[in-house]
Amino acid sequence: MTTTEKTHMHSSTSDGVPGGPVQAGPRSESVAAAAALQPLLRKHAARGDRDRVVPAEIVQALSDAGVFRLLTPKRYGGQEADLRTLTDVSEALGEADGSAAWVGMIISVTNWLACLFPDEAQEEVFGADPDARVTGVAAPTGIGKRVAGGWRVSGRWSYNSGAPYATWAAVGALLQDEDGAVADQALVLIPASELVIEDTWHTAGMRGTASNTLVAQDVFVPAHRILSVTAAAEGVYPRSSREEELYGASFGPMLLLCLLGPLLGLGRAALDVAVRAAVSKPLSFTVHNRQADSVGIQMQVAEAALKIETARLLTHRAASQVDQAAAAGPLDYAARAHIRAGAGYAARQILEAIGILLDAHGASAFAETNTLQRIWRDANTAARHAGLIPAVGLEVYGKTLLDVNERVSLMV
């Protein structure tokens, strides 16, 4: 039995408790569908890395498996699942290919984001096309100028993962009033056909995400395709009230915790590769014919496994907290600050685990034919996402612990 198989036995539980029974249900079905894609993803992972874009057939396979519909409403044919399901699905995908997992996760969660907009916008996106793929960049690097009926938006948005396959984009903008003063920070929904993609994603890792730059020049955005980030951060969404608990989930935690799923998958993949290799790989310049016989290697593998488990426990606890609170309304600021810090801490634990495993495996980990080098590149790139910077999360959480009333980020 491989490490992956062993881990699966106790990770995909209904309550997030390691060792608990795996219960059948929509979540387990979604995870099983994602796991079934692993051989296909592994087959094409190197190609996506080389070509700097996830192959079209992989994106189609993700769509066919329901990944992009995980968080869209049932009234549009979606699964209307929850954050924990998205986390488990993207972890399963991440075991095989970090870039494919990231693209699947980003489109799924940004589809959720589009469902926070007014109903007229939702109908434009999903009513017209239930298989719509929304991508996005939250950073407010665009400017919106008020005009009759809406806004004229121009800007450049970097790091738009999955850009080649998007049908819509939700991008950040500072909205100016008639006098040119900033009135609000918002996300604006724009059809992909009205945006230009610039090929700027030349990176060491997560190359297949094709996280290129979107450009808009004086694009008209009607008022119903505007979402105030300042209001959304406090759980105020302009969508109509319906019995759809998923869309009551807290804004910042949803958009941050989702980033950990692919990283957990990469950590699990690294552990599996290192453990399988240790059974037969010699430990050079020692008496050990197998790495597995070395106490030093045994300790490194154990430490790495515990770090990955720590990250998974933190992620599952926070995701379940967000899901459970969705029906009652947004989490309070202190709880969200705790989650923000925990997300960055979990990402750092995964990076440290992968580093330990590469130390144990040795220099051969960096051979182009060894998947560990791609795992290392992908994880170290993904974990540097602005939403996972540990220092910011610790500052946000530390201020709440010390009763320092200063907000340093809307993404909490």
Side-chain angles (χ1 to χ4, degrees):
M1 183 179 293
T2 67
T3 302
T4 299
E5 289 169 333
K6 293 176 184 175
T7 309
H8 267 307
M9 289 178 65
H10 62 260
S11 65
S12 299
T13 66
S14 60
D15 54 9
V17 180
V22 177
Q23 299 180 6
R27 179 180 301 152
S28 62
E29 292 170 3
S30 295
V31 175
L37 295 179
Q38 289 177 350
L40 181 66
L41 266 58
R42 289 192 180 98
K43 178 181 178 181
H44 293 285
R47 174 183 157 201
D49 182 69
R50 182 189 67 242
D51 295 345
R52 296 185 303 111
V53 62
V54 173
E57 57 261 50
I58 297 300
V59 173
Q60 187 59 53
L62 293 173
S63 180
D64 292 343
V67 173
F68 301 144
R69 289 195 184 196
L70 276 176
L71 303 186
T72 54
K74 291 180 180 178
R75 57 192 160 90
Y76 290 126
Q79 297 184 40
E80 208 173 307
D82 55 19
L83 177 58
R84 175 60 193 280
T85 299
L86 176 62
T87 301
D88 289 353
V89 165
S90 55
E91 179 178 358
L93 297 173
E95 286 185 67
D97 181 8
S99 286
W102 193 268
V103 169
M105 173 273 295
I106 286 291
I107 292 176
S108 184
V109 79
T110 316
N111 280 358
W112 170 84
L113 176 64
C115 294
L116 306 184
F117 282 74
D119 293 12
E120 188 176 353
Q122 296 177 48
E123 189 63 26
E124 279 186 81
V125 177
F126 299 108
D129 178 12
D131 289 314
R133 299 168 186 161
V134 187
T135 58
V137 178
T141 53
I143 295 293
K145 297 183 178 181
R146 183 180 288 280
V147 295
W151 307 80
R152 286 281 176 185
V153 177
S154 298
R156 296 173 56 84
W157 297 273
S158 298
Y159 317 131
N160 190 75
S161 300
Y165 300 110
T167 55
W168 288 79
V171 291
L174 298 177
L175 302 183
Q176 298 179 340
D177 61 22
E178 291 83 353
D179 298 324
V182 174
D184 199 1
Q185 178 178 332
L187 283 162
V188 301
L189 265 177
I190 302 176
S193 60
E194 297 180 20
L195 298 165
V196 174
I197 298 177
E198 289 188 2
D199 184 4
T200 57
W201 187 245
H202 298 267
T203 58
M206 282 290 183
R207 292 162 54 84
T209 62
S211 302
N212 291 305
T213 299
L214 298 181
V215 182
Q217 186 62 47
D218 200 33
V219 173
F220 175 70
V221 179
H224 65 267
R225 286 202 250 120
I226 301 290
L227 178 72
S228 168
V229 173
T230 52
E234 299 305 321
V236 178
Y237 309 139
R239 68 190 313 274
S240 294
S241 177
R242 287 189 176 89
E243 292 185 1
E244 296 174 333
E245 292 182 2
L246 173 62
Y247 310 105
S250 297
F251 184 76
M254 279 290 294
L255 298 181
L256 298 177
L257 288 171
C258 63
L259 306 173
L260 292 170
L263 279 165
L264 286 169
L266 288 165
R268 176 183 284 175
L271 180 62
D272 188 46
V273 171
V275 166
R276 284 189 287 106
V279 174
S280 57
K281 191 176 188 291
L283 187 59
S284 300
F285 305 123
T286 74
V287 299
H288 298 301
N289 293 322
R290 305 187 319 151
Q291 287 184 331
D293 295 328
S294 164
V295 172
I297 296 295
Q298 293 163 7
M299 293 177 66
Q300 286 178 301
V301 168
E303 183 180 6
L306 288 172
K307 284 182 175 293
I308 295 168
E309 183 179 0
T310 297
R312 183 175 292 110
L313 288 168
L314 284 170
T315 303
H316 286 183
R317 183 182 67 179
S320 296
Q321 185 181 2
V322 172
D323 289 335
Q324 290 164 10
L331 293 164
D332 63 28
Y333 184 79
R336 297 184 341 246
H338 188 199
I339 288 172
R340 172 76 190 251
Y345 187 83
R348 182 54 53 88
Q349 292 297 304
I350 296 168
L351 286 191
E352 290 179 0
I354 292 174
I356 291 169
L357 292 167
L358 266 72
D359 287 344
H361 190 81
S364 64
F366 292 93
E368 290 186 354
T369 56
N370 194 323
T371 57
L372 279 175
Q373 53 81 23
R374 188 173 64 250
I375 291 170
W376 179 79
R377 288 187 289 111
D378 285 350
N380 275 275
T381 300
R384 265 71 181 193
H385 187 285
L388 296 177
I389 297 174
V392 175
L394 292 174
E395 179 184 1
V396 167
Y397 183 42
K399 287 183 187 300
T400 64
L401 292 175
L402 296 170
D403 199 26
V404 176
N405 187 23
E406 179 186 3
R407 302 286 180 97
V408 299
S409 173
L410 286 175
M411 297 300 291
V412 175

